[in-house]
Amino acid sequence: MTDSTSTIDPAFAKDNHIYIVPLRLILGQDAYREGIDISAEAFYEKMKDEPKVSSSQPPIGEFIELYEALKVKYDDIIAIHCSSELSGTLNSSMQAAEIAEVPVIGIDSQAGAYPVREMIISGIHWHRQGDTVQVIKEKIQSMVQNMSFYLIPASLHRLHSSGRVSGTQLLLSNLLRIHLLLRFDEGKVIVEEKIRTFKKAKQRMLDLMKLDIEKIKKVCIMHANNVTEAEEIQNEISGAHPALKTEIMTFIPVAGIHAGEGTIAMAWIKHHPAYS
């Protein structure tokens, strides 16, 4: 069981007993189910002209209904959801499991997007090789601990309006034209560094990746409607580290809402089993 921030392909989900409950994206007066009613690309296009943008967790009723249907089909259920520090989705999922009277192993991914997808794909692999749910849980939690996720937000105004950055930081950053390098830290998004130029912020993100280079096999570059910049980073990584696999992914809208269109992010998992 997961949510739409996992970026799992629906066809892959159907073939591998993965159930996805969508978060809601709100543009003005309209609400969309993430990944069902609107694609990430279409969302960013619409977001340009809409000042009132937000998101909300799935209704608990959707989880209850799904768990009621699943408990007669499966012996064990593992729920991996986006960071509980940023969304109540995991909490709703676990409450729903209790109401539906079905035992569920809950895992807080402490992130969203690429790392969550990799945790789920790895979990499927471990299940196929005969690991118990408890062993799978422990292995996935090890991935959570070994995950790095950095982003350079394009819009401090959106971060500020969502309460992610204080007014003072926003004012100083605007006056000095500082770029923030943010990092996921135990599920929270914190300011890692304040850097003068976007170019230097991007370089710093690449330098942080290089510190882990011996321990990683793959890096994901995410962008909020900024594919040109993502491709430049990919080319730079491929040129310097040809053995390292790279992937470009459109940043999940629920995160893009806060960080703004144009945001660039990078994520990798140390000692990642790299199953595909």
Side-chain angles (χ1 to χ4, degrees):
M1 170 75 83
T2 188
D3 56 72
S4 53
T5 67
S6 65
T7 70
I8 288 279
D9 177 70
F12 179 84
K14 197 176 177 184
D15 292 342
N16 290 280
H17 304 275
I18 302 165
Y19 296 86
I20 305 166
V21 178
L23 273 76
R24 301 306 194 262
L25 304 172
I26 300 146
L27 285 157
Q29 301 300 309
D30 302 318
Y32 302 89
R33 291 171 299 170
E34 184 180 33
I36 296 173
D37 301 326
I38 193 167
S39 69
E41 291 79 8
F43 175 81
Y44 286 123
E45 281 304 311
K46 284 179 177 284
M47 192 171 93
K48 286 178 182 177
D49 306 316
E50 180 52 68
K52 287 185 179 177
V53 188
S54 62
S55 64
S56 65
Q57 67 194 58
I60 193 169
E62 282 186 24
F63 279 117
I64 296 168
E65 199 178 319
L66 192 47
Y67 280 131
E68 289 284 3
L70 296 183
K71 70 179 180 182
V72 296
K73 290 174 72 176
Y74 299 100
D75 297 323
D76 297 291
I77 299 171
I78 297 176
I80 307 176
H81 291 292
C82 55
S83 169
S84 63
E85 291 285 350
L86 302 177
S87 170
T89 304
L90 175 64
N91 189 40
S92 288
S93 181
M94 299 312 288
Q95 279 185 337
E98 214 172 288
I99 293 164
E101 296 182 333
V102 54
V104 173
I105 289 174
I107 298 174
D108 185 349
S109 71
Q110 297 187 8
Y114 167 78
V116 185
R117 189 195 70 187
E118 296 300 293
M119 290 168 199
I120 293 167
I121 291 171
S122 297
I124 290 164
H125 175 89
W126 291 319
H127 169 64
R128 285 188 184 142
Q129 73 177 23
D131 287 347
T132 64
V133 284
Q134 207 53 46
V135 168
I136 292 168
K137 179 190 178 184
E138 285 164 15
K139 286 182 175 181
I140 290 172
Q141 284 178 329
S142 172
M143 290 178 80
V144 173
Q145 296 308 311
N146 281 292
M147 169 194 67
S148 294
F149 198 135
Y150 293 90
L151 60 149
I152 306 166
S155 168
L156 297 179
H157 289 283
R158 288 211 184 267
L159 273 173
H160 175 55
S161 63
S162 68
R164 298 305 194 279
V165 174
S166 74
T168 315
Q169 281 182 320
L170 178 74
L171 182 66
L172 285 171
S173 298
N174 279 350
L175 283 172
L176 302 171
R177 291 186 179 171
I178 283 172
H179 290 266
L180 299 180
L181 178 61
L182 306 180
R183 171 170 65 91
F184 274 85
D185 180 47
E186 295 186 351
K188 293 177 183 170
V189 176
I190 64 164
V191 176
E192 171 78 1
E193 287 181 43
K194 297 169 187 177
I195 301 168
R196 263 297 167 87
T197 67
F198 175 79
K199 191 178 176 183
K200 284 182 179 173
K202 186 175 70 170
Q203 189 54 53
R204 179 65 183 137
M205 196 159 61
L206 287 166
D207 289 344
L208 287 160
M209 180 206 74
K210 283 173 197 167
L211 294 175
D212 289 340
I213 203 75
E214 299 298 322
K215 300 169 186 172
I216 57 177
K217 295 177 181 177
K218 188 175 178 183
V219 172
C220 183
I221 305 138
M222 289 157 275
H223 69 94
N225 209 18
N226 193 358
V227 72
T228 309
E229 193 62 61
E231 284 171 351
E232 276 185 27
I233 292 171
Q234 185 181 45
N235 292 337
E236 198 168 326
I237 293 170
S238 299
H241 312 282
L244 190 62
K245 288 181 186 172
T246 56
E247 176 186 355
I248 291 176
M249 178 191 284
T250 303
F251 204 26
I252 50 172
V254 293
I257 283 168
H258 305 301
E261 191 202 8
T263 293
I264 286 288
M266 278 172 60
W268 57 90
I269 302 168
K270 288 179 287 185
H271 316 293
H272 181 5
Y275 303 125
S276 58

